[in-house]
Amino acid sequence: MNTGTPVTLESSSAQTLFDAITGAGYPLDPRCGRRGLCRGCAVELEEGRVAEKGQEIGAPASVRACCVDLVPGVEVVVRVPERLAVRPPMKVENGFECLVGFSVAPTVPPTPGRPFGLAVDVGTTTVAMALVDLNSGEILERAGDANAQQSFGDNVLSRIVHAGTPNGLRELQNVLVRKTLLPLISEVCARAEVSAHQIAGATFAGNTTLMHLLAGEDPTGLGTAPFTARFLETKRLCGADIGLDFAGAEGSLVCDAKVILLPSFSAYVGADLTGGLYATGMSLTKQTELLVDIGTNGEVVLSHEGRLYATATAAGPAFEGGGLSSGMRACKGTVARLALDADGKIVTSEIIGDVLPSRCLGMCGSAYVDFLALGRSAGALTATGRFDEGAWRRLADPARGNAVGPRAYCFGGYASITEQDVAHLLQAKAALAAGIDTVLACAGVDACEVATVYLAGGFGMHLVPEHAIQMGLLPGFRPQQIRVVGNTSLAGAMLALIDRPALAEMERLARTATIIDLNRQDGFEDRFLDHLCLP
């Protein structure tokens, strides 16, 4: 299907095809940090020729734009797939359920003329922000957007590597502050009809790598064993230290605005989990409870008999669409829900923004979870994730995909699922499920003994818990145990901002948890291999 946007380009000097396309106004998605490891910038070369490592490639050809150069003086025509050329605003989860009581005794106290504070969740993929009245504790406005650091890769390891290059750390900090945080500050202030110079300070939560990049601290020790952080404790800075001293239409954020970074558990269990643990009230109950935050790193904290056990799994970006043929993060035009009939044919769906199926751009993680769960129960998928031959053959075109190329289940305009997609999803599922099983085993707990499983994060908000259990993402649990709580990282940042004792308790929790290194745990590898199959 020859769809997408044709783009004509010409270069008078050597430059990558990626730079030429993005310079022409088409923001490709280099999820691997422009290392040629994904297809986030794959385009069709329709006319002309390009060069890869000195070897010319002529049209027609499919190329990764970050891997090839334009040939000086040669005009080319490339077709940019619509799902890459059209980038609707990302859906950012900034809602949360706060399950712990709090008082209004601000860690950042209001001063005359400066009665407001910011609570911020800095995620690998997205950033969520809340503007808070420090006198009342009321959230006045919320906003969210993609983390602009994604141009350096969709995972923390890519960013750690870039931080180790000359000027890389400063570049990553500036991109986060200038292209994400400052526009969001302007947005929430404009909505609330206040000026940025009225902000007394801000609290930030996020994974350990993102806290380092925000603070301008070298994160390279987090990238290799023994995974050493420059800091884990609460970090107190001022606005000027991280570049939050700008002049905008609504005023200037003063240089001495207080900036507080929440404490982290370890190199890979960050302040987002510290805040989430406190916001759910898990540390205050005698029940056995589990917090699971599903993202690029699946983070898990168990509270059992007064002890905390925490770990992180390298789930990768698959549940956020990374590395999948039609994978996209949640935005207008992406399939969020799907269902299958008895023969395994995709028959219904929910598309964000009420877009017609014929115009859908791709699929987000929740829809892939639906497919794995329902495809297995309908007989469309085998236990190993392969397409059942008979079920696939019974599908009529175009539901079966193209006659050539990988076998695929297709739906609507640009949504398809291949067997390779299923393999990637099973690896991500196995990493998280094996991590959960290992944490429970270390504490001597069975899944049935857990009173509540708190499902945190934007991805968790859109999952059907029954499907997550059915396809093995939450192994051994029952739907009645699952409680979706939203962006608990943002909730923790908000509580740390307005309730001084809350921050003190987070600091205590971060020091007392038992950190489980999965690579050193007997049985983790066996559990991972077991979970590579569908139940």
Side-chain angles (χ1 to χ4, degrees), residues 3-19:
T3 58
T5 303
V7 182
T8 301
L9 304 163
E10 184 175 353
S11 175
S12 57
S13 60
Q15 67 178 130
T16 66
L17 181 59
F18 181 95
D19 290 335

Side-chain angles (χ1 to χ4, degrees), residues 380-396:
L381 293 172
T382 67
T384 58
R386 305 289 293 180
F387 292 166
D388 180 85
E389 187 71 25
W392 189 73
R393 292 289 180 190
R394 286 193 294 271
L395 294 175

